[in-house]
Amino acid sequence: MTEVVTFDEVGPVGLIRIHNPPVNAISHSVRLGLVDAIAQAERHSGIRALLILSSGDLFSAGADIAEFDQPLGEPSLQQVEFRIEACPIPVVAAIQGLALGGGLELAMACHYRITHKNARLGMPEITLGIIPGAGGTQRLPRLIGARAALGMILSGTPVSALDAKARGLVDEVVEDDLREAALRFSNHLVQEKLGPRPTCKRTVTGDLDDAEIGAALLAHARALKGRTTQNLVIEAIKASRLPFSQGIAIETTLAQKSLVSRESLALRHVFFAERESAKLSRLSSADAKQAQPPAIQRAAVIGAGTMGSGIAIALADAGLDVLIHDNDPAALTRSREIVQSTYASSVKRGRLTQNVAEDRIHRIRSTEARTEVADADLVIEAVFENMELKKDVLSTLDSVLPPERLLATNTSTLSVTELARATSHPERVLGMHFFVPAHASKLLEIVRTDHTSPETLSTAFRVAKLLKKVPVVSRDAFGFIGNRMMLDGYFREAEQLLLEGATPAQVDAALENFGFAMGPQRVSDLGGNDVGTKARVQLFKHENRPGPYFVIADRLTEMGWLGQKTGRGFYRYENGSREAMPDPEVISLIEKLASERGIEQREINDEEIVERCILSLINVGAMVLEEGIAACAGDIDVVWTSGYGFPRHLGGPMFHADTLGLSHVLQRIRLYHKKLGYYWRPAELIERLAAADSTFEEWDESSVSR
Ligand code: T1G
């Protein structure tokens, strides 16, 4: 009996417990343990029912994803499930917390399911680019019907215990002690002589015609844009109409196909890269590992603009008491309105109850007195992107805030090191760069300076975990990781393509077809073209960039065409709508700017647009790596997939580069270097890795030992 599975007898009930922290993943040793336990129970004549449950907060997070890249050890989860299903005595699964993927498949192979009321049950495989491969596409339709099963597997989002009961996925929902309730349930089966109830023997209810499949795909179109796994899911669920043994054979083939797909390799890369970027231990010295971050209950935000208000909401959502400060009472009023309307729409969408929304609104208090923040456990400054103004704010805060408290700035482009110099305790200062909308965007770029102390860094990681954000650490440099790559690579090249003859609509459409949520010109109009212009003004105080460098966006800013907020930018926006309308005046302006620079305009196809924008992103990404601004390529992929809308199913720019092959990437960059000049010079790191026929992934692995 392996230590990850134990077997006990409680009267006539055999109690099988999975204990594989942190998430009870169904690893090879768990599968071996389950089969051993069932065999033991079958040898024991007094055992009349079996109960499977888990230790810890959750039933199981599914198959062990870390095992996917190795040959699968026998027994497979499917074989374990066949064993359970064929058991001559009833087998009950007792679910607490979460039952996901293979964890839910294991429970569906049991004859009965009982769950705690707070549990959630789901099939998130599609978020990893795979289809359920342990009977999920065959047993789920038999339990809840083909249409509901398709919806659950395409969304990947868990359902609540009550919803699962209503759909027929579980037999009972309990309020109190799950183990006791499950034992009562199992004993009831014994007393009532209720035997096994193999799910595989059930028939699938409800038809699934093309219209319903089309409707289900439409419902998940945004999340599944550019993806293919959904086609395999549909094929597998259609097979659930066949006899079980035929359907499960088809599922196995399709699951194997999905497992080796590029889409799944990319999504699994992002899954683990997000967990790696959240590990402070990876980045820091011994003493940082010891640093125990202080408790955080009260937070303060300075600046009640859109970002400040969004950050305040994120902090309140994490259960903190928040003080938001601004000198301008009108700004505080507007902020209040933003807070109330944000929560009102969350209630309207059923994401929050009215009570929870009201509690969170009350957690956010506003003040005009900057000194009132002295009691806060952390302060985040989010005032206007201006060096002098931010320095003034930070020095005032520094004078009222006890020296051990974290002082963060939400600057997106200014030097955090220079800002920290305005304080007497630069060791407690760092950047906390939130992304629009601050309460919903997953990414938090944490910017450390050479002075930032390990304690301050670990507190920032603690805050990120509290806010359920994905933290990525950047060294302090212009634009940090994301904005540097966006400005010096991706956006810069998009502008160059406009000067050479492409239109904003063509460039945006090409990159949206590639998989970006929104193209560069539309993003610029959404954020405000002036934001980029101001960032460049700051940049040019310290660094230079060979021209043309954003001549179009800066001219639009000069003309007050700032984007959505002024009704025109790269596009026109009629009467406050968000729909981007092509603007012939912008096209003529671009033609004029191009001819002033002797740039001849020509037809440009979408392939060239995508290649140039993506390769420049990769090239600058490699420079960010070799300059030590990002700790590893995986971090860059996390930044771009969780903060800048780079398609997750391509794994992020650096993973995508590895997929393209670095020799090919280098060859193409050299071509553009020859054609377009200095700013296309290949990053040395790409030259080195290509020469060694290596990859960014291998570079990351070796960086652990560097
Ligand atoms: N396998 C292996 N490791 C896993 C894992 C899994 N399924 N789930 C989590 N981990 C690790 C994770 O890498 C981290 O490790 C630690 O556990 C804590 O995770 C046959 C084939 C459950 C909601 O997609 O969504 O079943 O970084 O930091 O924020 O059809 O983890 O500490 O070393 O994320 O509390 C389907 C994936 C698998 C669920 C918990 N299951 N996991 O979130 O902790 S495919 C999933 C999650 C499958 C079958 C198919 C989340 C969580 P480390 P964490 P968390």
Side-chain angles (χ1 to χ4, degrees), residues 293-330:
I296 298 169
Q297 185 46 51
R298 294 180 308 268
V301 178
I302 312 298
T306 312
M307 280 310 273
S309 306
I311 296 169
I313 293 168
L315 293 162
D317 286 348
L320 302 184
D321 299 321
V322 186
L323 190 63
I324 188 162
H325 159 77
D326 202 300
N327 296 337
D328 173 5

Short mmCIF file of all heavy atoms in Angstrom, two decimals, residues 293-330:
data_model
loop_
_atom_site.label_atom_id
_atom_site.label_comp_id
_atom_site.label_asym_id
_atom_site.label_seq_id
_atom_site.Cartn_x
_atom_site.Cartn_y
_atom_site.Cartn_z
N PRO A 293 6.45 37.85 5.53
CA PRO A 293 5.73 39.09 5.26
C PRO A 293 4.74 39.39 6.39
O PRO A 293 4.14 38.47 6.94
CB PRO A 293 5.00 38.84 3.95
CG PRO A 293 5.00 37.37 3.76
CD PRO A 293 6.14 36.81 4.53
N PRO A 294 4.60 40.68 6.77
CA PRO A 294 3.68 41.04 7.85
C PRO A 294 2.22 40.80 7.44
O PRO A 294 1.93 40.69 6.25
CB PRO A 294 3.94 42.54 8.04
CG PRO A 294 4.40 43.00 6.69
CD PRO A 294 5.16 41.85 6.09
N ALA A 295 1.36 40.71 8.43
CA ALA A 295 -0.08 40.58 8.12
C ALA A 295 -0.54 41.86 7.43
O ALA A 295 -0.01 42.94 7.69
CB ALA A 295 -0.86 40.40 9.41
N ILE A 296 -1.47 41.72 6.49
CA ILE A 296 -1.96 42.90 5.75
C ILE A 296 -3.47 42.93 5.87
O ILE A 296 -4.15 42.00 5.46
CB ILE A 296 -1.54 42.81 4.27
CG1 ILE A 296 -0.01 42.83 4.18
CG2 ILE A 296 -2.16 43.94 3.47
CD1 ILE A 296 0.51 42.48 2.80
N GLN A 297 -3.98 43.98 6.51
CA GLN A 297 -5.43 44.12 6.63
C GLN A 297 -5.89 45.48 6.11
O GLN A 297 -6.97 45.62 5.56
CB GLN A 297 -5.87 43.93 8.08
CG GLN A 297 -7.37 43.94 8.26
CD GLN A 297 -8.08 43.04 7.22
OE1 GLN A 297 -7.73 41.86 7.05
NE2 GLN A 297 -9.01 43.61 6.48
N ARG A 298 -5.04 46.48 6.27
CA ARG A 298 -5.45 47.83 5.83
C ARG A 298 -4.52 48.29 4.71
O ARG A 298 -3.30 48.21 4.83
CB ARG A 298 -5.33 48.82 6.99
CG ARG A 298 -6.29 48.57 8.14
CD ARG A 298 -6.07 49.61 9.21
NE ARG A 298 -4.67 49.67 9.57
CZ ARG A 298 -4.14 48.94 10.57
NH1 ARG A 298 -4.91 48.16 11.30
NH2 ARG A 298 -2.84 49.00 10.83
N ALA A 299 -5.13 48.75 3.61
CA ALA A 299 -4.33 49.25 2.49
C ALA A 299 -4.80 50.65 2.14
O ALA A 299 -5.93 51.03 2.45
CB ALA A 299 -4.50 48.34 1.28
N ALA A 300 -3.91 51.42 1.50
CA ALA A 300 -4.30 52.76 1.06
C ALA A 300 -3.86 52.96 -0.38
O ALA A 300 -2.82 52.42 -0.80
CB ALA A 300 -3.66 53.81 1.96
N VAL A 301 -4.67 53.69 -1.13
CA VAL A 301 -4.36 54.00 -2.52
C VAL A 301 -4.34 55.51 -2.67
O VAL A 301 -5.27 56.19 -2.23
CB VAL A 301 -5.41 53.39 -3.47
CG1 VAL A 301 -5.11 53.76 -4.92
CG2 VAL A 301 -5.49 51.88 -3.31
N ILE A 302 -3.28 56.02 -3.26
CA ILE A 302 -3.16 57.47 -3.46
C ILE A 302 -3.44 57.77 -4.92
O ILE A 302 -2.73 57.25 -5.80
CB ILE A 302 -1.76 57.98 -3.08
CG1 ILE A 302 -1.33 57.44 -1.72
CG2 ILE A 302 -1.68 59.49 -3.15
CD1 ILE A 302 -2.19 57.88 -0.57
N GLY A 303 -4.50 58.56 -5.16
CA GLY A 303 -4.89 58.87 -6.55
C GLY A 303 -6.18 58.14 -6.87
O GLY A 303 -6.19 56.91 -6.95
N ALA A 304 -7.26 58.91 -7.06
CA ALA A 304 -8.59 58.28 -7.23
C ALA A 304 -9.02 58.26 -8.69
O ALA A 304 -10.20 58.35 -9.00
CB ALA A 304 -9.62 59.02 -6.37
N GLY A 305 -8.05 58.10 -9.59
CA GLY A 305 -8.40 58.03 -11.02
C GLY A 305 -8.89 56.62 -11.36
O GLY A 305 -9.20 55.82 -10.46
N THR A 306 -8.95 56.32 -12.66
CA THR A 306 -9.44 54.99 -13.08
C THR A 306 -8.58 53.88 -12.48
O THR A 306 -9.09 52.91 -11.91
CB THR A 306 -9.37 54.91 -14.62
OG1 THR A 306 -9.97 56.09 -15.15
CG2 THR A 306 -10.08 53.69 -15.15
N MET A 307 -7.25 54.03 -12.60
CA MET A 307 -6.37 52.97 -12.05
C MET A 307 -6.48 52.89 -10.54
O MET A 307 -6.64 51.80 -9.98
CB MET A 307 -4.91 53.24 -12.45
CG MET A 307 -4.53 52.84 -13.85
SD MET A 307 -5.01 51.16 -14.27
CE MET A 307 -3.61 50.24 -13.70
N GLY A 308 -6.43 54.03 -9.87
CA GLY A 308 -6.52 54.03 -8.40
C GLY A 308 -7.80 53.37 -7.91
O GLY A 308 -7.79 52.54 -6.99
N SER A 309 -8.91 53.69 -8.57
CA SER A 309 -10.20 53.11 -8.17
C SER A 309 -10.20 51.61 -8.43
O SER A 309 -10.67 50.81 -7.60
CB SER A 309 -11.33 53.78 -8.95
OG SER A 309 -11.25 55.20 -8.80
N GLY A 310 -9.64 51.20 -9.58
CA GLY A 310 -9.58 49.76 -9.90
C GLY A 310 -8.73 49.01 -8.89
O GLY A 310 -9.08 47.90 -8.45
N ILE A 311 -7.61 49.60 -8.48
CA ILE A 311 -6.73 48.97 -7.48
C ILE A 311 -7.47 48.86 -6.15
O ILE A 311 -7.42 47.83 -5.47
CB ILE A 311 -5.42 49.76 -7.34
CG1 ILE A 311 -4.62 49.72 -8.65
CG2 ILE A 311 -4.58 49.23 -6.18
CD1 ILE A 311 -3.44 50.67 -8.70
N ALA A 312 -8.21 49.91 -5.77
CA ALA A 312 -8.98 49.89 -4.51
C ALA A 312 -10.00 48.75 -4.54
O ALA A 312 -10.16 48.01 -3.56
CB ALA A 312 -9.67 51.23 -4.31
N ILE A 313 -10.64 48.55 -5.69
CA ILE A 313 -11.63 47.46 -5.81
C ILE A 313 -10.93 46.11 -5.67
O ILE A 313 -11.40 45.21 -4.95
CB ILE A 313 -12.38 47.57 -7.16
CG1 ILE A 313 -13.24 48.83 -7.20
CG2 ILE A 313 -13.22 46.33 -7.42
CD1 ILE A 313 -13.79 49.17 -8.59
N ALA A 314 -9.78 45.97 -6.31
CA ALA A 314 -9.03 44.70 -6.21
C ALA A 314 -8.67 44.40 -4.75
O ALA A 314 -8.78 43.26 -4.29
CB ALA A 314 -7.75 44.79 -7.06
N LEU A 315 -8.28 45.44 -4.01
CA LEU A 315 -7.89 45.26 -2.60
C LEU A 315 -9.12 44.90 -1.76
O LEU A 315 -9.05 44.01 -0.90
CB LEU A 315 -7.23 46.53 -2.09
CG LEU A 315 -5.87 46.88 -2.71
CD1 LEU A 315 -5.51 48.35 -2.46
CD2 LEU A 315 -4.77 45.97 -2.16
N ALA A 316 -10.25 45.54 -2.04
CA ALA A 316 -11.48 45.23 -1.29
C ALA A 316 -11.95 43.82 -1.62
O ALA A 316 -12.38 43.07 -0.74
CB ALA A 316 -12.56 46.25 -1.64
N ASP A 317 -11.82 43.42 -2.89
CA ASP A 317 -12.19 42.06 -3.30
C ASP A 317 -11.37 41.02 -2.54
O ASP A 317 -11.81 39.90 -2.32
CB ASP A 317 -11.96 41.87 -4.81
CG ASP A 317 -13.02 42.60 -5.64
OD1 ASP A 317 -14.03 43.02 -5.06
OD2 ASP A 317 -12.78 42.77 -6.86
N ALA A 318 -10.17 41.43 -2.11
CA ALA A 318 -9.29 40.50 -1.38
C ALA A 318 -9.59 40.52 0.12
O ALA A 318 -8.89 39.90 0.91
CB ALA A 318 -7.83 40.87 -1.63
N GLY A 319 -10.61 41.33 0.51
CA GLY A 319 -11.01 41.34 1.92
C GLY A 319 -10.28 42.38 2.76
O GLY A 319 -10.35 42.37 3.98
N LEU A 320 -9.56 43.31 2.10
CA LEU A 320 -8.83 44.33 2.85
C LEU A 320 -9.70 45.57 3.06
O LEU A 320 -10.64 45.81 2.30
CB LEU A 320 -7.55 44.73 2.10
CG LEU A 320 -6.55 43.62 1.78
CD1 LEU A 320 -5.31 44.19 1.13
CD2 LEU A 320 -6.18 42.84 3.03
N ASP A 321 -9.39 46.33 4.13
CA ASP A 321 -10.02 47.65 4.32
C ASP A 321 -9.18 48.65 3.55
O ASP A 321 -7.95 48.65 3.69
CB ASP A 321 -10.05 47.99 5.82
CG ASP A 321 -10.87 46.96 6.59
OD1 ASP A 321 -11.90 46.52 6.03
OD2 ASP A 321 -10.42 46.52 7.66
N VAL A 322 -9.83 49.46 2.75
CA VAL A 322 -9.10 50.32 1.81
C VAL A 322 -9.42 51.78 2.04
O VAL A 322 -10.59 52.16 2.19
CB VAL A 322 -9.44 49.95 0.35
CG1 VAL A 322 -8.56 50.75 -0.62
CG2 VAL A 322 -9.32 48.46 0.11
N LEU A 323 -8.36 52.59 2.07
CA LEU A 323 -8.53 54.05 2.15
C LEU A 323 -8.05 54.61 0.82
O LEU A 323 -6.94 54.30 0.40
CB LEU A 323 -7.64 54.58 3.29
CG LEU A 323 -7.84 56.03 3.71
CD1 LEU A 323 -9.25 56.22 4.26
CD2 LEU A 323 -6.78 56.40 4.76
N ILE A 324 -8.91 55.37 0.12
CA ILE A 324 -8.47 55.95 -1.15
C ILE A 324 -8.38 57.46 -0.97
O ILE A 324 -9.30 58.09 -0.45
CB ILE A 324 -9.40 55.54 -2.30
CG1 ILE A 324 -8.82 55.99 -3.64
CG2 ILE A 324 -10.83 56.03 -2.10
CD1 ILE A 324 -9.44 55.28 -4.84
N HIS A 325 -7.23 58.01 -1.36
CA HIS A 325 -6.97 59.44 -1.11
C HIS A 325 -6.81 60.19 -2.43
O HIS A 325 -6.25 59.67 -3.39
CB HIS A 325 -5.69 59.62 -0.31
CG HIS A 325 -5.12 61.00 -0.46
ND1 HIS A 325 -5.64 62.10 0.20
CD2 HIS A 325 -4.14 61.48 -1.27
CE1 HIS A 325 -4.95 63.18 -0.17
NE2 HIS A 325 -4.05 62.83 -1.06
N ASP A 326 -7.33 61.43 -2.45
CA ASP A 326 -7.06 62.33 -3.56
C ASP A 326 -7.28 63.75 -3.06
O ASP A 326 -8.16 63.98 -2.22
CB ASP A 326 -8.00 62.04 -4.74
CG ASP A 326 -7.42 62.56 -6.05
OD1 ASP A 326 -7.17 63.78 -6.15
OD2 ASP A 326 -7.14 61.72 -6.94
N ASN A 327 -6.46 64.69 -3.56
CA ASN A 327 -6.63 66.10 -3.13
C ASN A 327 -7.92 66.67 -3.70
O ASN A 327 -8.50 67.61 -3.17
CB ASN A 327 -5.46 66.95 -3.68
CG ASN A 327 -4.17 66.48 -3.08
OD1 ASN A 327 -4.17 65.87 -2.01
ND2 ASN A 327 -3.08 66.71 -3.79
N ASP A 328 -8.37 66.08 -4.83
CA ASP A 328 -9.50 66.65 -5.56
C ASP A 328 -10.80 65.96 -5.18
O ASP A 328 -11.02 64.79 -5.52
CB ASP A 328 -9.22 66.47 -7.08
CG ASP A 328 -10.42 66.88 -7.92
OD1 ASP A 328 -11.41 67.38 -7.33
OD2 ASP A 328 -10.37 66.64 -9.14
N PRO A 329 -11.68 66.67 -4.45
CA PRO A 329 -12.93 66.03 -4.00
C PRO A 329 -13.76 65.50 -5.18
O PRO A 329 -14.39 64.44 -5.06
CB PRO A 329 -13.67 67.17 -3.28
CG PRO A 329 -12.88 68.41 -3.44
CD PRO A 329 -11.56 68.06 -4.02
N ALA A 330 -13.69 66.17 -6.33
CA ALA A 330 -14.46 65.70 -7.49
C ALA A 330 -13.95 64.33 -7.94
O ALA A 330 -14.72 63.44 -8.30
CB ALA A 330 -14.34 66.71 -8.63
#
